Amino acid sequence: MQLSFSSLKQLTVPIVAAALIACQPASKANLGNSQETEFNTAYLEQMGFVVESHQAAPMGGLIEVITNQGLVYTNIDGSQLISGRIYDITAAEPVNLSDLSLNAMRQRDVTTWADSTIEYAAPDVKHVVYVFTDPSCGYCRQLHERLEDYQALGISVRYLAWPRTGLTGSAAKLLEQAWCADDQRQALTAIKQDQALPAANCEAPIAAHYALGHKFGVRGTPAFVLPSGQLVPGLLPPQQLLAELER
């Protein structure tokens, strides 16, 4: 999403200084043409982040870090943390560079989970979207009731599990039952219609999907991940979704 200059002026970026600790595992930070500097992951790890990758940020003097909790920025030695977005303001409208990095991460990561989704494929596939879903969510049920309308437009839907009440709630147990069923598509439809299913008896990927959603920035369901990697929260009717996909 692009913002006007007036709205951009209202943005604030909270800065948190991480506490120092004794043990400091380090790796080389990729700073492009500048001199390599030791990038210390220990401060982030103490705060509960799992660092997956890091590189020079678009803004000089910062490191862009992809973690299990999404995108953050640190200074070069990893001792200070910025949670926010970086914008290129050289054009007529600001460009959210952070979103571009997040889209690339989602685009890459979501495809690695394709085999663990429950897919409702279109007869003539033109687009494939991933949707984080919860059987207790009314908007998720509305989306599911219109699956044939999405499919008629050439849109295949691949569902990922995202129980809004967490992994110990009733929605997580229902999702586990659907993913463990012999006919997953029929089972997912059943739990969204409040039909009973047998108890789950498999290692379902519910926890992994839930963690992936948090990493992507999911805060509710349904949440679409488009082929571009863009995360779109909320219910998108079929024609509106098609317009987004063809923009």
Side-chain angles (χ1 to χ4, degrees):
M1 179 181 71
Q2 294 190 346
L3 303 177
S4 66
F5 277 107
S6 59
S7 62
L8 184 61
K9 291 178 182 177
Q10 301 173 12
L11 294 177
T12 58
V13 180
I15 301 178
V16 180
L20 297 179
I21 60 176
C23 182
Q24 301 181 358
S27 61
K28 292 289 187 180
N30 176 10
L31 299 178
N33 294 327
S34 62
Q35 184 177 358
E36 286 188 339
T37 302
E38 293 292 333
F39 176 60
N40 186 1
T41 63
Y43 305 117
L44 287 171
E45 290 164 359
Q46 176 170 288
M47 295 181 68
F49 292 96
V50 176
V51 175
E52 298 186 0
S53 65
H54 57 83
Q55 62 180 0
M59 182 178 291
L62 296 179
I63 303 295
E64 178 182 289
V65 188
I66 298 294
T67 77
N68 63 323
Q69 299 178 47
L71 172 67
V72 297
Y73 299 98
T74 73
N75 60 343
I76 291 176
D77 70 359
S79 63
Q80 293 178 311
L81 171 68
I82 298 175
S83 175
R85 295 291 181 263
I86 294 178
Y87 291 81
D88 182 338
I89 57 173
T90 60
E93 290 294 332
V95 176
N96 189 329
L97 300 179
S98 300
D99 273 358
L100 298 181
S101 295
L102 285 167
N103 289 349
M105 177 270 288
R106 296 189 196 107
Q107 188 180 48
R108 178 185 66 248
D109 286 8
V110 76
T111 57
T112 66
W113 293 95
D115 290 342
S116 69
T117 63
I118 297 179
E119 181 174 6
Y120 294 79
D124 181 16
V125 181
K126 297 182 176 66
H127 307 283
V128 176
V129 298
Y130 291 79
V131 181
F132 288 90
T133 193
D134 178 323
S136 67
C137 161
Y139 290 115
C140 294
R141 293 186 179 205
Q142 289 181 37
L143 186 158
H144 199 75
E145 288 170 357
R146 299 194 64 182
L147 275 177
E148 290 185 358
D149 295 333
Y150 292 93
Q151 292 170 317
L153 296 174
I155 302 171
S156 291
V157 174
R158 292 177 177 173
Y159 279 122
L160 294 152
W162 205 81
R164 294 171 298 153
T165 54
L167 295 174
T168 59
S170 59
K173 293 179 174 59
L174 290 172
L175 288 164
E176 188 176 11
Q177 289 176 318
W179 255 263
C180 288
D182 292 334
D183 187 337
Q184 293 178 322
R185 286 186 289 273
Q186 188 279 329
L188 189 56
T189 298
I191 64 172
K192 290 188 177 188
Q193 296 175 350
D194 296 322
Q195 299 176 22
L197 290 178
N201 186 25
C202 75
E203 292 186 9
I206 311 306
H209 288 183
Y210 188 65
L212 186 71
H214 277 293
K215 178 182 178 183
F216 283 7
V218 174
R219 298 293 179 265
T221 55
F224 291 80
V225 181
L226 306 187
S228 65
Q230 180 185 359
L231 179 69
V232 182
L235 176 61
L236 286 177
Q239 288 291 347
Q240 187 177 342
L241 176 57
L242 182 64
E244 285 288 336
L245 291 167
E246 293 184 343
R247 276 202 309 170

